[in-house]
Amino acid sequence: MPESWTGRALAAQPTKTDDPTAGTRQHRLAVLLADMVPGARIVRVSRHQPSQTWPNPYTRAYDERGQPIPLNRIQRVAAARWVIRAFPEANWDEAHDLDLVTGILRPPAGARAHSDGGR
């Protein structure tokens, strides 16, 4: 460790950042997923693939206009597993959307409308 002119070791100072989510696990995951799926704004993750009745990690990606982005099987399964592991506190009986810009996980927009009493 470097020493100051007094002979005492200098303590490392934490770096200051303007981004409150910088360095969080969820934000790093969002950055990795955005790199893995170029053009994606939202990934919707669930434990149930629409065509199957048994649990199977599944991901759908959407761009900023809400248009689906095609994913191959490896991307669908890997992204779902990563998100489920990064957010173990979420209720994975239902799908969740991960915003790749903010790193925030929330229920899909349609589910929020029903839970708020909307149509």
Side-chain angles (χ1 to χ4, degrees):
M1 189 180 274
E3 293 186 359
S4 69
W5 61 273
T6 61
R8 296 188 332 197
L10 297 173
Q13 298 297 318
T15 59
K16 293 182 182 180
T17 181
D18 294 333
D19 184 4
T21 60
T24 64
R25 206 165 100 182
Q26 289 84 6
H27 184 69
R28 289 192 317 258
L29 174 62
V31 170
L32 287 171
L33 289 173
D35 189 42
M36 183 170 128
V37 186
R41 163 70 191 226
I42 299 283
V43 291
R44 180 166 294 161
V45 177
S46 67
R47 285 184 37 215
H48 299 282
Q49 185 172 349
S51 62
Q52 297 178 348
T53 57
W54 58 86
N56 187 30
Y58 191 74
T59 304
R60 288 180 223 129
Y62 300 94
D63 64 14
E64 66 278 349
R65 295 176 302 166
Q67 298 299 315
I69 296 174
L71 301 174
N72 63 39
R73 183 183 181 283
I74 294 171
Q75 289 173 316
R76 287 191 310 262
V77 174
R81 287 179 179 167
W82 292 353
V83 173
I84 290 169
R85 288 178 185 158
F87 295 91
E89 70 282 355
N91 176 11
W92 289 108
D93 290 335
E94 298 180 13
H96 287 77
D97 288 348
L98 177 64
D99 187 322
L100 298 184
V101 174
T102 63
I104 296 173
L105 184 75
R106 59 179 63 104
R112 284 196 304 269
H114 288 299
S115 66
D116 293 342
R119 288 189 179 256

